[in-house]
C-alpha cells in the first residue's frame, strides 16, 4: 500500500485561466485547506477539516499559515549560463559574444556540465521551481548532464541540445547533419524517460543556416510529440540582423515556418516585437509564447505585450542568465512592472497562474502546474511573511490577494518554506 500524506495550509488552485474568466470563478482558495498526496499524485483537495475527517489515519504535515500552491514552472532558461548570470553592460548580440558563448564553450567538459547542472537544480529548487524547460549547449554532454541530474532528483524536466552552425565561435558550432544526428540520439535516449522530455532546440535564426533549420524541421516532423523551442523578436537589432540574413523571409517567424519549425508544440521565447502577421499566425497554429521579463529589462530588450495572454498560450520564465534571477517570484514582480509600463495591471492570480499553470500549458505538461486531483504532487509552501518588510505589509491584508502580493513583489528564496517533488522533499 502506498503511504498517504495530508499537507495542510492555505491552499490556492485554479479551475480556469484568470486571463479568460473572472478571478472569483478562476480560483479556488481555502484559508484552511489541504492536499492529499498518494504515490506522488494529488488525490484530493478540500478543507482541512473535511480531509482530516475523511482520512483520520494518514500522516499529516501541517504547514500552518503557509500558502500551498503548485511548484513553479520556468518555461525558458539556460542552465549553462548559471555561472555568468548578472554580467554587466551589454545588449543581446554583444552579451552573447562577450559572456555567453565563452561560458557555453566550457560545456564540452562533461564534468563541468555535471557540476553546473547540480548547482542549477540546487538553486531552482531553493526558489520553489520544480520544472524547468532549459536550453543546453551544442554539446551532447550538456544535455546528458542536465537530464541525469533531473532524473536523480525525480524532477519533471525539459531540455534540448542548442543547435548553431553559424555566427558562433569555433568550438561552438555544429552542422546541419550533426545537429540532426545528435539531437535525434539525445531524443531517443531521454524523451519520455521517467519525467523527462526532449525539446528540439535551434538557438535562434541568426545562428542557424537554412539547411540546419530544415534538418531540425525534418527531425520535428519525425517526432511531432516533442516540443520545439527557440527565440524570436527579442531585440530590434536582432530583428534587423534576421532581415539581412533571410532576405526572402516575410518576417522573423517565417524563417522558422518555411522550415517546418512552427506548430502547436512550438515554444517561442521573448516574442516582444512581433508583427500582426506573426501574432495572428502563432494564434492560428496554437504556438506558445514565453515572457522573460527580468531578461527583457536586464538586457534592455523591450516590453512584452501581456494582452496576448487573452488570445495565446503564454508562459513565464527567468531566461537565466540573460534573466537576472533564478526566482519565479522575482520574475512575477518583473512581469507586473513590465505590464505597468505598458498600461496593463496584472492581478496576483494572473501572475501566479503564469508561473504555474500558464507555463505548464505553454510546455504542454498537463501533469503539473495546479493542485488538482490527478496532478503530480510538485507543491510549494510559500511563507507570506518571509522578511520583516513583507510581514508588516501582509499583516494588514484584507484578503488572500493583498496577503500574497507583497511576497510576489518583494519575495525571493526566503519565501519558499517547503518544496515537494512528486510528494517528497527534494534530494
Ligand atoms: N537569443 C539567442 N540566444 C540567447 C540567449 O542565450 N539568451 C537570450 N536572452 N537570448 C538569446
Ligand atoms: Zn533564452
Amino acid at each position: 500500500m502506498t503511504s498517504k500524506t495530508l499537507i495542510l495550509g492555505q491552499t490556492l488552485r485554479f479551475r480556469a485561466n484568470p486571463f479568460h474568466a473572472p478571478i472569483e470563478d478562476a480560483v479556488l482558495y481555502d484559508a484552511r485547506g489541504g492536499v492529499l498526496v498518494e504515490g506522488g499524485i494529488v488525490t484530493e483537495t478540500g478543507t482541512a477539516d473535511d480531509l482530516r475527517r475523511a482520512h483520520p489515519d494518514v500522516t499529516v504535515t501541517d504547514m500552518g499559515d503557509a500558502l500551498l500552491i503548485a511548484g513553479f514552472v520556468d518555461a525558458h532558461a539556460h542552465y549553462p549560463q548559471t555561472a555568468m548570470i548578472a554580467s554587466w553592460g551589454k545588449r543581446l548580440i554583444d552579451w552573447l559574444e562577450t559572456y555567453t558563448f565563452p561560458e557555453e564553450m566550457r560545456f564540452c567538459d562533461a564534468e563541468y556540465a555535471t557540476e553546473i547542472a547540480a548547482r542549477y537544480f540546487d538553486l531552482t529548487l531553493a526558489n520553489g521551481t520544480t520544472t524547468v524547460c532549459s536550453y543546453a549547449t551544442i554539446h551532447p554532454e550538456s544535455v546528458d548532464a542536465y537530464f541525469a541530474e533531473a532524473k536523480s532528483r525525480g524532477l519533471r524536466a525539459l531540455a534540448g541540445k542548442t543547435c548553431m552552425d553559424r555566427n558562433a565561435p569555433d568550438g561552438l558550432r555544429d552542422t546541419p547533419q550533426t545537429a540532426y544526428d545528435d539531437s535525434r540520439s539525445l531524443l531517443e535516449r531521454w524523451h519520455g524517460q521517467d519525467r523527462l522530455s526532449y525539446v528540439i532546440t535551434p538557438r535562434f535564426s541568426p545562428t542557424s543556416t537554412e539547411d540546419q533549420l530544415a534538418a531540425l524541421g525534418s527531425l520535428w516532423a519525425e517526432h511531432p510529440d516533442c516540443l520545439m523551442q527557440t527565440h524570436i523578436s527579442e531585440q530590434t537589432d536582432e530583428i534587423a540582423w534576421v532581415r539581412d540574413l533571410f532576405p526572402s523571409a516575410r518576417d522573423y517567424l517565417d524563417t522558422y515556418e518555411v522550415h517546418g519549425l512552427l506548430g502547436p508544440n512550438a515554444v517561442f521565447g521573448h516574442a516582444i516585437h512581433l508583427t500582426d502577421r506573426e501574432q495572428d499566425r502563432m494564434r492560428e497554429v496554437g504556438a506558445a509564447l514565453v515572457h522573460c521579463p527580468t531578461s527583457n529589462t536586464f538586457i534592455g530588450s523591450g516590453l512584452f505585450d501581456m494582452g496576448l495572454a487573452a488570445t495565446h498560450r503564454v508562459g513565464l520564465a527567468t531566461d537565466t542568465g540573460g534573466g537576472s534571477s533564478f526566482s519565479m517570484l522575482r520574475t512575477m514582480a518583473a512581469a507586473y512592472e513590465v505590464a505597468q509600463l505598458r498600461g496593463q495591471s496584472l492581478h496576483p492570480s494572473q501572475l501566479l497562474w503564469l508561473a504555474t499553470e500558464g507555463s505548464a500549458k505553454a510546455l504542454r505538461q498537463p501533469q503539473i502546474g495546479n493542485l488538482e486531483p490527478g496532478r503530480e504532487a510538485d507543491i510549494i509552501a510559500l511563507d507570506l511573511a518571509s522578511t520583516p518588510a513583507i510581514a508588516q505589509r501582509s499583516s494588514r491584508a484584507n484578503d488572500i490577494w493583498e496577503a500574497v502580493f507583497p511576497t510576489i513583489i518583494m519575495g525571493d528564496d526566503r519565501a519558499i518554506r517547503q518544496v515537494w517533488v512528486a510528494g517528497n522533499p527534494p534530494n
Side-chain angles (χ1 to χ4, degrees):
M1 203 184 83
T2 55
S3 70
K4 294 184 190 177
T5 305
L6 178 58
I7 308 171
L8 303 179
Q10 303 187 69
T11 55
L12 194 151
R13 66 186 180 96
F14 294 98
R15 52 182 174 189
N17 178 341
F19 287 96
H20 295 164
I23 307 303
E24 322 74 78
D25 298 339
V27 177
L28 276 172
Y29 165 72
D30 266 314
R32 187 68 182 149
V35 181
L36 187 69
V37 176
E38 192 175 356
I41 303 290
V42 173
T43 52
E44 269 183 66
T45 58
T47 67
D49 284 348
D50 287 351
L51 287 165
R52 268 181 181 275
R53 217 172 295 120
H55 304 278
D57 302 324
V58 300
T59 310
V60 174
T61 303
D62 192 341
M63 299 306 299
D65 60 0
L67 178 67
L68 302 174
I69 60 171
F72 294 134
V73 179
D74 185 345
H76 177 127
H78 300 257
Y79 96 83
Q81 297 172 15
T82 296
M84 47 67 68
I85 192 170
S87 290
W88 179 85
K90 302 283 181 188
R91 292 171 65 84
L92 179 60
I93 307 305
D94 280 349
W95 173 85
L96 284 170
E97 286 169 357
T98 310
Y99 300 118
T100 311
F101 290 161
E103 177 62 16
E104 292 195 6
M105 213 104 71
R106 300 184 63 179
F107 284 72
C108 60
D109 174 356
E111 226 172 275
Y112 185 65
T114 298
E115 178 192 333
I116 298 296
R119 189 189 303 176
Y120 178 72
F121 286 119
D122 285 348
L123 287 164
T124 48
L125 283 165
N127 279 287
T129 299
T130 46
T131 287
V132 179
C133 182
S134 184
Y135 289 61
T137 66
I138 71 151
H139 314 96
E141 296 87 339
S142 70
V143 178
D144 288 337
Y146 174 92
F147 279 135
E149 192 62 37
K151 181 181 159 98
S152 76
R153 297 174 191 235
L155 293 167
R156 180 162 287 284
L158 305 92
K161 172 192 133 71
T162 297
C163 300
M164 300 195 271
D165 68 342
R166 65 166 162 174
N167 296 319
D170 288 348
L172 218 53
R173 287 191 309 273
D174 49 17
T175 68
Q177 191 62 48
T178 59
Y180 175 92
D181 291 343
D182 289 346
S183 299
R184 192 174 79 167
S185 67
L186 288 163
L187 187 161
E188 285 166 356
R189 187 172 322 147
W190 294 109
H191 189 59
Q193 194 189 130
D194 294 355
R195 304 179 75 199
L196 311 177
S197 296
Y198 189 80
V199 184
I200 295 167
T201 307
R203 178 174 218 121
F204 66 158
S205 291
T207 50
S208 287
T209 60
E210 304 233 16
D211 284 353
Q212 180 167 84
L213 295 172
L216 294 173
S218 302
L219 180 63
W220 198 22
E222 292 154 21
H223 299 276
D225 65 310
C226 282
L227 298 180
M228 187 289 302
Q229 64 179 349
T230 192
H231 298 85
I232 195 165
S233 295
E234 181 177 358
Q235 287 207 344
T236 49
D237 291 358
E238 169 207 7
I239 297 167
W241 192 23
V242 169
R243 211 175 290 126
D244 287 346
L245 290 168
F246 297 84
S248 60
R250 284 175 290 180
D251 47 38
Y252 199 153
L253 184 65
D254 202 36
T255 65
Y256 298 122
E257 187 171 0
V258 295
H259 295 300
L261 294 171
L262 177 63
N265 286 349
V267 182
F268 291 100
H270 301 290
I272 300 169
H273 309 282
L274 298 176
T275 64
D276 290 348
R277 187 202 86 86
E278 289 172 316
Q279 290 182 2
D280 291 349
R281 191 74 186 116
M282 285 172 163
R283 181 179 38 74
E284 222 167 72
V285 303
L289 317 183
V290 179
H291 179 31
C292 308
T294 73
S295 170
N296 297 160
T297 52
F298 182 75
I299 311 186
S301 301
L303 307 175
F304 181 83
D305 177 8
M306 196 44 87
L308 292 167
T311 48
H312 293 63
R313 282 182 306 123
V314 176
L316 188 67
T318 60
D319 190 34
T320 46
S324 55
S325 176
F326 296 92
S327 165
M328 289 298 282
L329 289 169
R330 304 295 313 123
T331 305
M332 282 185 259
Y336 179 79
E337 291 166 355
V338 165
Q340 285 286 68
L341 288 168
R342 290 200 61 135
Q344 302 159 340
S345 289
L346 294 176
H347 188 267
S349 65
Q350 294 173 322
L351 293 162
L352 286 170
W353 189 88
L354 285 167
T356 55
E357 181 82 316
S359 282
K361 284 187 182 301
L363 299 176
R364 303 242 180 245
Q365 301 293 304
Q367 310 90 334
I368 55 169
N370 204 354
L371 291 189
E372 194 176 53
R375 304 278 182 126
E376 294 169 351
D378 292 347
I379 301 169
I380 58 177
L382 283 182
D383 179 350
L384 300 185
S386 60
T387 69
I390 295 172
Q392 61 87 36
R393 178 63 185 93
S394 60
S395 70
R396 33 159 100 175
N398 290 312
D399 62 24
I400 180 59
W401 303 122
E402 245 192 287
V404 77
F405 194 55
T407 289
I408 291 175
I409 294 301
M410 298 193 284
D412 53 28
D413 54 337
R414 289 168 290 182
I416 310 300
R417 195 183 280 174
Q418 179 67 266
V419 177
W420 293 265
V421 173
N424 295 306
N427 53 29

